[in-house]
């Protein structure tokens, strides 16, 4: 197995472990200075992988479209009109997605994406490019999650 998949499994295990420790009463608190909530961050990790890995590779989304309504780029918990997916649903999808990414792309990391994407000057052209960006993105959101967790558990 390519090392990048080992990293995905490591990071995803870390993300799921933190999510499983999250108390429901803390999931939707948005403290001053933060753009979103813990629930949003976990859901956004999921939608980012789906969009960058499955959609850009031409495999099609593997998520219920409502995940994008709540957690896609540019969404805000303060604008939600209906109940967002539960923490359990998000955890289940994160676990499923991690496995599905390995199964789907284990022999095609260096294949060109059907649609390349540029993010802040970085051009994603291959499956490997998308996956390594997603790993960085998951880590970035873990940093936000850590900060948010410290704040909401002391309120």
């Amino acid at each position: 197995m390519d090392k990048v998949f080992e990293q995905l499994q490591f990071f995803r295990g870390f993300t799921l472990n933190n999510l499983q420790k999250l108390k429901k009463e803390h999931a939707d608190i948005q403290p001053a200075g933060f753009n979103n909530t813990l629930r949003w961050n976990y859901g956004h990790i999921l939608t980012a992988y789906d969009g960058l890995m499955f959609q850009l590779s031409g495999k099609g989304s593997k998520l219920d479209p409502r995940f994008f309504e709540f957690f896609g780029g540019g969404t805000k918990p303060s604008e939600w009109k209906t109940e967002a997916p539960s923490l359990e649903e998000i955890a289940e999808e994160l676990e499923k997605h991690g496995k599905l990414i390995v199964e789907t792309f284990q022999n095609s990391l260096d294949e060109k994406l059907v649609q390349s994407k540029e993010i802040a000057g970085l051009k994603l052209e291959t499956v490997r490019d998308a996956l390594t960006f997603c790993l960085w993105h998951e880590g970035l959101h873990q940093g936000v999650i850590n900060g948010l967790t410290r704040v909401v558990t002391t309120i």
Side-chain angles (χ1 to χ4, degrees), residues 19-36:
L19 178 52
Q20 289 160 352
K21 290 189 280 187
L22 175 61
K23 294 182 179 175
K24 287 183 184 179
E25 62 264 24
H26 296 142
D28 298 307
I29 298 171
Q30 185 173 334
F34 287 88
N35 295 329
N36 41 53

Side-chain angles (χ1 to χ4, degrees), residues 78-95:
S78 60
E79 297 175 352
W80 293 349
K81 304 269 188 266
T82 58
E83 191 173 331
S86 70
L87 298 176
E88 294 79 15
E89 287 176 278
I90 295 168
E92 181 181 315
E93 289 298 330
L94 280 166
E95 187 167 351

Side-chain angles (χ1 to χ4, degrees), residues 39-142:
R39 183 188 312 266
W40 184 90
N41 275 276
Y42 285 111
H44 181 69
I45 290 169
L46 180 62
T47 60
Y49 271 95
D50 191 82
L52 293 172
M53 296 298 301
F54 292 106
Q55 293 179 43
L56 292 183
S57 68
K59 307 283 187 211
S61 178
K62 306 303 179 197
L63 289 174
D64 183 312
R66 72 188 183 107
F67 280 88
F68 290 94
E69 294 170 23
F70 290 99
F71 310 120
T75 60
K76 298 176 184 174
S78 60
E79 297 175 352
W80 293 349
K81 304 269 188 266
T82 58
E83 191 173 331
S86 70
L87 298 176
E88 294 79 15
E89 287 176 278
I90 295 168
E92 181 181 315
E93 289 298 330
L94 280 166
E95 187 167 351
K96 247 183 2 185
H97 245 73
K99 292 175 183 173
L100 190 57
I101 288 167
V102 175
E103 290 170 13
T104 305
F105 300 108
Q106 63 186 338
N107 296 314
S108 58
L109 281 172
D110 296 315
E111 287 184 11
K112 292 278 187 196
L113 296 169
V114 171
Q115 180 184 349
S116 65
K117 183 166 184 82
E118 189 171 319
I119 302 172
L122 177 66
K123 193 164 188 180
L124 307 179
E125 297 181 283
T126 67
V127 171
R128 184 183 302 275
D129 294 345
L131 182 54
T132 56
F133 180 85
C134 286
L135 292 172
W136 171 82
H137 181 261
E138 185 165 357
L140 175 75
H141 281 276
Q142 275 302 326

